[in-house]
């Protein structure tokens, strides 16, 4: 594979949205990096016109997973490529049964922050996805996965309990607290799948760093998440499936079905409540299990039905990058960027029409 330095110099005629505060009129891409200094001796740069944003960030995406469990490497590469071509250039995966560390060595694939393997209990999550353990193993296994991942782990915090007929938490508050302490001591952070209300309090008490779905959060939970700056990833495309889950569960699990319908009906109001309370929101497609890849523009459009498009663009770019410790389009940063004809903060639908996708300084789409 050619080095990024072989790519032609690009002239981004701008505007260039560096981060929430900074707009630069134009920029150049040289040797894979962003610069705001006009190059002196690099011939005629290739001109790219339009609004330039940092590469989109999908914080809930599963590379190396499909409905049957782990994929092979070739399919994982295809998944990551589809995401890339939609403008997603940084992925925090939300658990994968495949060891996808090889993605780090591929200059043509998005940057990947792995959460290693999901952690769940037997029969309390989708089959073939998770490392299935006994509850009292949680602290040790959480630390082990923290050491295998790229600074994140993923817990399944609740799931339907078929004996109870409704969602219930998988872990005791004590085991959760012990697990979180060990993850943090290992220098990692933890996020958790949660649909229910019951799982949230213990997750917040244990010091969870991020919440996936978060559909069961009450006003009191929302206030705590806002105060501590704990992001929620609403995954509205996935929550749209709740009505179907309710239909499937109706006959045997009516309480579960009623709860899922309630949360489905409130989904946009819930996201607006989170935003209005000041909870940081991030964008996650939940691609991999049942949802396809490359859907970040669609997820963003869903979120923009609840909150301003400018907030969604921030969530998909600089806010997510700050949270994950990744660069935006500052001087010398890797040129991971997407170019649009118009400002997506004015029309979120623009995210679905990238003019150019540039990864590590090379135009990939
Ligand atoms: Zn997921």
């Amino acid at each position: 594979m050619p080095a990024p330095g072989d790519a032609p110099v690009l002239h981004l005629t701008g505007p260039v949205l560096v981060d929430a505060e900074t707009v630069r009129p134009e920029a150049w891409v040289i040797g894979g990096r962003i610069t705001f200094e006009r190059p002196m001796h690099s011939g005629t740069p290739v001109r790219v016109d339009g609004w330039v944003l940092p590469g989109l960030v999908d914080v809930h995406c599963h590379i190396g997973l499909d409905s049957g469990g782990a994929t092979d490497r070739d399919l994982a590469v295809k998944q990551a490529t589809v995401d890339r071509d939609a403008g997603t250039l940084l992925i925090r995966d939300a658990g994968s049964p495949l060891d996808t560390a090889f993605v780090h060595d591929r200059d043509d694939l998005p940057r990947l922050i792995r959460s290693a393997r999901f952690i769940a209990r037997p029969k309390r999550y989708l089959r073939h996805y998770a490392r299935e353990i006994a509850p009292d193993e949680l602290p040790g296994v959480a630390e082990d996965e923290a050491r295998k991942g790229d600074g994140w782990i993923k817990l399944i915090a609740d799931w339907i309990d078929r004996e109870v007929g409704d969602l219930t938490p998988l872990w005791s508050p004590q085991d959760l607290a012990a697990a979180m302490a060990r993850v943090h001591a290992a220098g990692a952070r933890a996020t958790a799948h949660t649909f229910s209300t019951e799982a949230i309090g213990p997750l917040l008490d244990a010091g969870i760093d991020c919440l996936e779905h978060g559909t069961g959060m009450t006003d009191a939970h929302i206030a705590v998440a806002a105060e501590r700056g704990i992001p929620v990833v609403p995954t509205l495309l996935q929550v749209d499936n709740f009505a179907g889950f309710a239909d499937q569960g109706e006959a045997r699990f009516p309480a579960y079905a009623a709860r899922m319908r309630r949360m489905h009906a409130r989904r946009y109001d819930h996201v607006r409540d989170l935003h209005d309370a000041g909870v940081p929101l991030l964008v996650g497609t939940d691609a991999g299990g049942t949802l396809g890849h490359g859907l970040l523009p669609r997820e963003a459009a869903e979120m923009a039905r609840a909150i301003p498009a400018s907030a969604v663009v921030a969530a998909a770019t600089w806010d997510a990058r700050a949270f994950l410790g990744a660069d935006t389009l500052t001087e010398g940063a890797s040129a991971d960027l997407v170019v649009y004809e118009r400002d997506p903060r004015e029309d979120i639908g623009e995210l679905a029409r990238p003019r150019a996708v540039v990864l590590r300084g090379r135009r990939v789409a």
Side-chain angles (χ1 to χ4, degrees):
M1 194 165 302
D6 299 343
V9 172
L10 304 180
H11 178 203
L12 308 171
T13 61
V16 180
L17 305 182
V18 175
D19 55 35
E21 280 86 42
T22 320
V23 182
R24 304 290 294 249
E26 58 185 341
W28 289 265
V29 175
I30 305 174
R33 302 200 168 267
I34 283 280
T35 182
F36 299 101
E37 277 176 43
R38 182 181 295 273
M40 303 295 281
H41 305 292
S42 13
T44 308
V46 175
R47 189 186 155 115
V48 183
D49 294 330
W51 290 76
V52 181
L53 273 71
L56 306 181
V57 185
D58 189 344
V59 301
H60 188 137
C61 180
H62 304 278
I63 301 292
L65 175 75
D66 69 9
S67 55
T71 68
D72 60 19
R73 282 190 179 201
D74 287 349
L75 185 50
V77 167
K78 284 194 187 114
Q79 293 173 336
T81 304
V82 171
D83 289 317
R84 179 197 75 182
D85 292 352
T88 297
L89 301 183
L90 174 61
I91 292 169
R92 184 199 62 180
D93 89 19
S96 180
L98 181 71
D99 180 354
T100 52
F102 72 93
V103 171
H104 297 322
D105 301 326
R106 293 275 304 246
D107 277 351
D108 59 331
L109 296 180
R111 295 175 194 280
L112 178 63
I113 297 171
R114 295 172 305 121
S115 300
R117 191 152 189 186
F118 325 72
I119 304 171
R121 282 168 46 191
K123 300 194 164 108
R124 294 299 304 281
Y125 191 46
L126 297 160
R127 283 178 70 202
H128 309 305
Y129 278 29
R131 183 166 170 186
E132 297 179 352
I133 60 168
D136 63 355
E137 295 179 277
L138 181 64
V141 169
E143 180 178 342
D144 184 49
E145 293 298 324
R147 295 189 188 287
K148 290 177 184 165
D150 300 324
W152 280 91
I153 67 153
K154 168 74 179 296
L155 302 170
I156 306 305
D158 57 35
W159 197 251
I160 189 167
D161 181 335
R162 287 177 173 78
E163 281 163 29
V164 175
D166 203 350
L167 300 171
T168 64
L170 268 65
W171 319 104
S172 73
Q174 295 74 18
D175 286 335
L176 264 184
M180 289 301 307
R182 287 179 64 171
V183 168
H184 289 158
R189 292 186 279 180
T191 193
H193 160 109
T194 168
F195 291 165
S196 77
T197 297
E198 295 85 338
I200 304 279
L203 286 169
L204 293 172
D205 289 347
I208 195 76
D209 300 291
C210 188
L211 293 167
E212 309 301 313
H213 319 298
T215 42
M217 293 173 77
T218 64
D219 289 348
H221 296 144
I222 289 172
V224 173
E227 191 200 317
R228 297 198 202 147
I230 299 167
V232 174
V233 186
T235 66
L236 279 167
L237 292 173
Q238 180 64 277
V239 174
D240 193 34
N241 291 328
F242 281 18
F245 299 159
D247 290 344
Q248 287 164 27
E250 183 69 67
R252 285 177 64 204
F253 312 118
Y256 165 81
R259 187 206 295 244
M260 298 308 275
R261 284 213 180 87
R262 254 190 334 266
M263 296 193 298
H264 179 259
R266 276 211 81 241
R267 64 196 188 281
Y268 299 116
D269 290 340
H270 185 65
V271 171
R272 193 204 53 222
D273 288 350
L274 289 162
H275 174 74
D276 289 352
V279 176
L281 296 176
L282 299 174
V283 185
T285 60
D286 210 355
T290 50
L291 286 153
H293 286 262
L295 296 179
L296 193 133
R298 264 184 60 195
E299 176 66 24
E302 277 290 291
M303 286 175 71
R305 294 178 67 167
I307 65 174
S310 58
V312 178
V313 169
T317 56
W318 35 83
D319 287 356
R321 287 176 171 274
F323 179 65
L324 295 171
D327 284 333
T328 57
L329 296 177
T330 49
E331 176 75 32
S334 177
D336 297 0
L337 56 93
V338 194
V339 184
Y340 301 97
E341 184 178 354
R342 289 189 295 258
D343 184 351
R345 296 173 301 179
E346 302 292 326
D347 171 13
I348 200 75
E350 192 64 15
L351 289 182
R353 299 182 288 270
R355 267 192 173 169
V357 179
V358 176
L359 175 60
R360 299 178 175 92
R362 180 177 299 278
R363 192 163 176 169
V364 290

